[in-house]
Amino acid sequence: MELKPFLRNLPAFEAYNDQYTDALVAALEVEDCPDGFVFVHQGGYGGAMFIILEGSVGIIRRDRPNETDYDVRDLREGEIFGLLSLVDDMPAAATCVAHGPVKIAALTQDGFHGLFQSAPPICHQLQFMIAVQLARDLQEQNEFLRRHMAQ
């Protein structure tokens, strides 16, 4: 699989020129992961953001009051997860597990920091995506608290 054309077809990266896309490609590490591979455990530190190149990844959250796991959703080719791991010491909001063999492109914190030098617009895009993820997580937590406070 050619990584550059794949990235250019993703809405998050389609607008960037070759120089920035090439810098992103250079910062990514492509890996094959087996079925059942755990990318990160909820509350743990992932160390990388992942772009799914092939396969599916399940997102599982543990409901703390009753310690029950529930499937949030399955992510597919082209979707990104683990954005919060680009933020220092930010624990994962869910557990992410490979459903079948998965090929991913990983961007570590070090790769992200290095990318600021070679492709600042892409880093700004990723920062925006992090902010959106944090806002969604906050909304979800507020809704959870509202439901449980009303009981």
Side-chain angles (χ1 to χ4, degrees):
M1 162 184 287
E2 288 287 325
L3 190 52
K4 184 176 176 178
F6 182 88
L7 293 172
R8 295 299 290 263
N9 284 320
L10 297 180
F13 306 115
E14 67 187 355
Y16 298 103
N17 66 33
D18 284 341
Q19 173 190 349
Y20 296 142
T21 305
D22 289 341
L24 177 59
V25 168
L28 293 171
E29 300 171 16
V30 176
E31 301 174 29
D32 290 307
C33 302
D35 181 30
F37 181 83
V38 178
F39 294 93
V40 65
H41 288 281
Q42 182 174 338
Y45 301 96
M49 174 204 82
F50 302 98
I51 303 169
I52 302 172
L53 304 176
E54 296 172 5
S56 174
V57 172
I59 306 300
I60 303 162
R61 284 228 175 101
R62 177 163 286 237
D63 185 10
R64 291 294 177 205
N66 62 18
E67 295 298 313
T68 301
D69 290 340
Y70 61 97
D71 295 329
V72 175
R73 59 181 248 163
D74 282 339
L75 302 177
R76 306 260 184 245
E77 182 178 294
E79 292 191 89
I80 297 171
F81 66 99
L83 277 164
L84 297 184
S85 63
L86 297 178
V87 180
D88 293 339
D89 299 322
M90 180 68 74
T95 298
C96 304
V97 180
H99 288 173
V102 176
K103 181 182 287 260
I104 54 93
L107 179 64
T108 64
Q109 279 187 3
D110 288 341
F112 179 59
H113 294 299
L115 203 54
F116 272 103
Q117 300 302 313
S118 55
I122 287 182
C123 288
H124 293 152
Q125 172 68 20
L126 291 171
Q127 287 176 321
F128 172 76
M129 292 167 67
I130 290 166
V132 169
Q133 182 64 53
L134 288 169
R136 284 183 185 145
D137 290 350
L138 182 60
Q139 287 175 328
E140 183 179 298
Q141 188 63 32
N142 284 339
E143 181 59 31
F144 173 81
L145 290 171
R146 273 190 217 102
R147 281 194 314 266
H148 284 83
M149 296 298 280
Q151 295 178 350

